[in-house]
Amino acid sequence: MTTEAPPSPARVRPPGIAVVPIRRHGRWAAAVIVAYLLFALGWSLWTNPNLDIPTVGRYLFAPSVLQGLVVTAELTVVAMIIGLVGGVLLAVMRMSDNPVLSGVAWVYIWLLRGTPLLVQIIFWGFLGALYPQLFVGIPLTGIVFGSVPTNSVVGAATAAVLALATHEAAYCAELVRAAIISVDAGQREAAMSLGMSAGSRMRFVILPQAMRVLIPTLGNETISMLKMTALVSVISGQDLMTAVQQIYQQNFKIIPLLVDASLWYLLLTSLLTIGQHYIERHFGRGFGSGPATGAARRRASRQAKAGPVAVPEEAGEPVAGDEPMVRAEQVWKWFGDTDVLQGIDITVRPRQTLVLLGPSGSGKSTLLRCVNALEKIDSGLLEVDGERVGLRTTGDGRLHEMAPAELCRQRTRIGMVFQRFNLFPHMTAIENVALGPRRVLGLSRDQAEAEAERLLTRVGLRDKLDAYPAQLSGGQQQRVAIARALAMRPHLMLFDEPTSALDPELVGEVLDVMKDLARRGMTMIVATHEIGFAKEVADTVAMLDGGVIIESGPPGECLVEPKEERTRAFLSKVLA
């Protein structure tokens, strides 16, 4: 007979501690002095007859000033758009492995950042003195299809835009490059594992996260551009500063007209600052504690308008056969002088689970990354589903690298779950899972979200569809990562120590999902230190040490009665 423990009494919050704060008299004294000085400065300006407030009001809305204001705004917008687009292209070129593209981008940035903007504006304004005619033809061949006078094409307005845009592109290139570099490398690898192309990875994964870093610095650049448009007055550009100068050169009211220009610049700067705030908030989704406001409501509205959604049927369980799902023969991988994998031989058949054991640095993760083509093997044979990983054989028997599109297609059949989850932080759970089916498999948004909802429900996260990764526990994030990989309907699942970054209390919920996959017949390769999981689920256990499989076989042999001393020593430490 068992007796239930009595319920614990409700705990009542006690009164807070009453503390007398420190009196910071020095700070208050400094604040009073600063406030007094600011008031004195403002009063001196307001009562200064030389400021000539009536003249400030008279010319503030003068037609020529307003026209100059419009030109300044247009110059800023057009130059920033061209500069940003050029900056993105230059940043991509700068990070390219091609030495010609990288070198050209480096020289452009060096040249444009190394010369004053004023010099560049004058250069573009007097381009006709260097090239009186602009030709259309094939360079260095003498073939010319037509020509026009330079000054008829590059006027003051065009020269101003070209000077500002080309100058800004050099600075934007480095800002964009820094923002892209700031995105964790795991984000790129997670997108690659879904089979996303380089363009899709950049558009949907890298740039949205880079924008969070880029927007504040880009806001500063835009405000600086707004003020730098005043320099085009040297080539008779009709900007705000030029309009003000033309007026005070006639009436000699220099100070009041400069105040007018300053007021308009401050207004435009304030509008840009407000816009920057909302753009930052948009691209900051998922990085704060706020929920995905309205996401569920918008999804429900779309589903109501679209009606019933035809969800693709769940892929059938793979059928066991003689052909292996994964075959590795004498696989070697090295980095410089370090041999990470040394002659690996493994065979995994459909519906089987291979568990990789071994200490950190033994090559487990590298082997999984090679199977998913995140790393290239240096020697040996590695096949998945009867196809060489990352390579294709031509009719003459020579090996060639797969084209990017072929490699993406191959990766869609190989799901991968990473040790650090690598969820996309700017997307909710359902958006993370639906991304691959939408952008790679071509499903509609409604179909992809319906499939994502089904998979998240399957892993026990029905109530977390609209939560961002930062709002989930480690175990919940890993389950979302599993659902994301399953959404691609892979033939093979790779798990790279999926529980090593979790608290002990959260390990079980991830292992339960993996056990369910094994029962359903999913082919899996799992790198883990969870010996109990290996005993229960694995068909084969392989012990790696120093890049070599030192022992492999059924879990009943390798984990209960290992033959190798190194295996026994490892198990004793793990199970201690």
Side-chain angles (χ1 to χ4, degrees), residues 269-348:
T269 299
S270 300
L271 293 176
L272 289 173
T273 302
I274 295 172
Q276 176 184 334
H277 166 74
Y278 286 102
I279 296 174
E280 282 185 19
R281 192 169 70 173
H282 172 77
F283 285 105
R285 293 173 301 172
F287 292 93
S289 58
T293 307
R297 184 176 64 253
R298 290 192 297 269
R299 188 171 63 257
S301 176
R302 286 197 308 271
Q303 292 173 350
K305 292 179 181 179
V309 178
V311 181
E313 294 182 2
E314 187 173 359
E317 296 179 354
V319 179
D322 294 333
E323 291 297 322
M325 178 65 69
V326 181
R327 182 163 68 103
E329 295 181 356
Q330 287 298 299
V331 169
W332 283 71
K333 175 63 184 177
W334 54 75
F335 297 99
D337 296 330
T338 304
D339 296 328
V340 181
L341 298 177
Q342 304 180 48
I344 297 294
D345 293 307
I346 59 171
T347 299
V348 183

Side-chain angles (χ1 to χ4, degrees), residues 75-84 168 172 218 221-222 225:
L75 279 175
T76 301
V77 172
V78 174
M80 283 303 302
I81 291 175
I82 297 175
L84 182 57
E168 186 59 35
C172 281
L218 198 59
E221 284 295 307
T222 305
M225 173 65 71

Side-chain angles (χ1 to χ4, degrees), residues 251-271:
N251 62 14
F252 303 106
K253 301 286 187 178
I254 298 176
I255 297 300
L257 267 299
L258 290 178
V259 171
D260 285 335
S262 299
L263 291 175
W264 284 120
Y265 280 122
L266 283 171
L267 175 62
L268 291 178
T269 299
S270 300
L271 293 176

